[in-house]
Amino acid sequence: RTQEGILLAVADDGPGISEEERPIALRRFGKLDTARTRTGAGLGLSLAAVVARLHGGELVLADNDPGLRAEIMLPLHNPP
């Protein structure tokens, strides 16, 4: 819990996602070139972003150095 709201974060130490490719990763069915040979529909991050927005929050992708950090900031209460 922060002064701004509730922060949910998950991070890994994998290859990460470059800043330039993060908008693609957040797009529905968006798959990065490095993921095209792997299974998956490319929906995970885009769904998380939509759920965050539905609750008045935002999903932000950041560098975990190494890896990726995904943060969802949710307000303490939604305005009417």
Side-chain angles (χ1 to χ4, degrees):
R1 186 174 179 155
T2 71
Q3 288 183 338
E4 294 81 30
I6 303 296
L7 176 66
L8 306 168
V10 64
D12 66 26
D13 60 358
I17 299 174
S18 70
E19 195 169 342
E20 298 80 30
E21 292 181 309
R22 290 176 193 161
I24 297 168
L26 291 174
R27 228 178 30 216
R28 191 169 35 148
F29 302 113
K31 289 189 83 170
L32 306 178
D33 287 337
T34 56
R36 293 195 185 277
T37 59
R38 299 181 188 154
T39 60
L43 290 172
L45 290 173
S46 66
L47 284 173
V50 168
V51 170
R53 280 194 303 273
L54 286 172
H55 290 282
E58 178 182 21
L59 171 66
V60 175
L61 301 179
D63 189 12
N64 196 46
D65 195 29
L68 181 70
R69 181 175 174 88
E71 298 180 345
I72 294 179
M73 177 60 79
L74 298 172
L76 291 176
H77 56 83
N78 287 331

